[in-house]
Structures are given as structure tokens and as C-alpha cells.
Amino acid sequence: MNVTVTLPTVEETHAFGRRLAGVLRAGDLLLLTGPLGAGKTALTQGIGAGLGVRGEITSPTFVIARVHRPDPARGGTVGLVHADAYRLGDAADPRAEIDDLDLDASVDDSVTVVEWGEGLVEQLVDAHLRVRIDRRDDDSRTVELEPVGGDWAHRLAGLG
Ligand SMILES: Nc1ncnc2c1ncn2[C@@H]1O[C@H](COP(=O)(O)OP(=O)(O)OP(=O)(O)O)[C@@H](O)[C@H]1O
Ligand SMILES: [Mg+2]
């Protein structure tokens, strides 16, 4: 079942990302969709804070992907790979392509977040979490989490 939340401010989007990080583990793939300025990077910043990773999380628009290593001082144990789908090809599984980049971080050992943008069709076989962010007229955001395969549905229970 999908989980939908309304997030009135960017601070609440960060806080929701931190909560979401609590159910994430190494090997996870999150696909963030939504128009320009929806808040995909803002949500990823919250996820990174929750995971306790190093480095400022910014839009990966000018690089294919960026690795944020876990910071043990902040309780981090799992790294974050943050990628922009526009820079990836149309491979069925972005993780395979990200691994090919030789980032010195394996997607199996990291949480991978791909800013998927608007209108890209995904035909992924692998389990992943779809995260759809939309901006409403009052500037709040709705975030819809759609579990795809794996044990995502189970893990989302209690997040709503
Ligand atoms: N409730 C909210 N949640 C998230 N962002 C918000 C919210 N309210 C306002 N904002 C603002 O909206 C902007 C979201 O920008 P962000 O870079 O996260 O979007 P994006 O979806 O990553 O865009 P892009 O497609 O360009 O990568 C930020 O400037 C943020 O401060
Ligand atoms: Mg962005």
C-alpha cells in the first residue's frame, strides 16, 4: 500500500527524509520523481542526514553520481550514492550503470537515490522504492511512497 504524506515546509521534508532513512539499508534503490524544484534534492538531504553521511548533498546535475561516505562520528554505517537519471543512460537497472562508473563505492554497500525527473519510464525488474514528490498551490509538497517488490511494503508500514 502506498504511503502519502503532506509536507508544508522544506524543514518538514528534511525531517521526513530523516525518518525514511530509518528504514533504509545497504543495497536499497530509491527513485525520486517529480518536476523541477519539487524537492527531490531536499528529501535526499534529509535521507543523508538520517544515514549520517559526510558532505553537503546538492543537486548532482553536473555529475552523474556523487558518493557520500558514512560518518562514524554521526552514527553512519551506510553510504549514500546520489545520482541524476538524466546523466544515466536508459539501462533497465540504474544500479548496474552506477556500478560501472567505478565510483569506489558499491551500490550493494550503499543506499542509492536516483533523481529520476519527470516522465522517465522505468521498467525496472529489481525491487525499489518509488518516491513521487509534487508541489501544490500553497507550496506544500505531497510525497507518495510506492513500494515496488522486495519487502518495501512491509518496511513502509508505520511511516505514514
Ligand atoms: N515543503 C517543501 N519541501 C521541499 N522543498 C521545499 C518545500 N517548500 C519549499 N521548498 C523549496 O523548494 C526547492 C526544492 O528544490 P530541490 O532542489 O530540492 O528540488 P528538485 O526536485 O531536486 O529539483 P531538480 O529537478 O532541479 O533537481 C528548495 O528551494 C526548497 O527550499
Ligand atoms: Mg535536484
Side-chain angles (χ1 to χ4, degrees):
M1 202 174 61
N2 293 3
V3 169
T4 306
V5 294
T6 301
L7 303 167
T9 65
V10 66
E11 288 77 19
E12 281 162 270
T13 297
H14 286 156
F16 184 71
R18 288 197 300 274
R19 277 184 65 208
L20 180 57
V23 306
L24 301 180
R25 57 175 184 243
D28 282 348
L29 173 65
L30 278 65
L31 294 181
L32 274 47
T33 72
L36 283 175
K40 301 180 291 294
T41 300
L43 184 69
T44 308
Q45 288 165 346
I47 292 170
L51 291 175
V53 298
R54 296 178 201 274
E56 192 194 351
I57 292 172
T58 57
S59 183
T61 303
F62 299 107
V63 292
I64 300 175
R66 195 170 278 139
V67 177
H68 297 271
R69 301 203 171 284
D71 183 356
R74 295 167 64 202
T77 57
V78 178
L80 173 69
V81 174
H82 182 203
D84 188 324
Y86 287 113
R87 303 263 148 184
L88 295 171
D90 54 6
D93 185 350
R95 274 180 302 195
E97 197 167 341
I98 291 166
D99 255 351
D100 281 348
L101 296 174
D102 238 350
L103 287 173
D104 196 30
S106 154
V107 292
D108 290 334
D109 298 333
S110 313
V111 168
T112 301
V113 173
V114 180
E115 293 198 24
W116 203 248
E118 187 76 286
L120 291 174
V121 179
E122 67 285 352
Q123 299 284 341
L124 297 166
V125 260
D126 272 19
H128 62 277
L129 182 66
R130 275 203 72 177
V131 181
R132 165 94 213 165
I133 309 180
D134 277 299
R135 182 176 174 168
R136 301 198 307 190
D137 285 346
D138 62 1
D139 220 32
S140 68
R141 305 311 200 257
T142 55
V143 176
E144 183 175 20
L145 307 177
E146 180 190 345
V148 182
D151 62 353
W152 279 111
H154 179 72
R155 288 156 71 188
L156 290 190
L159 255 189

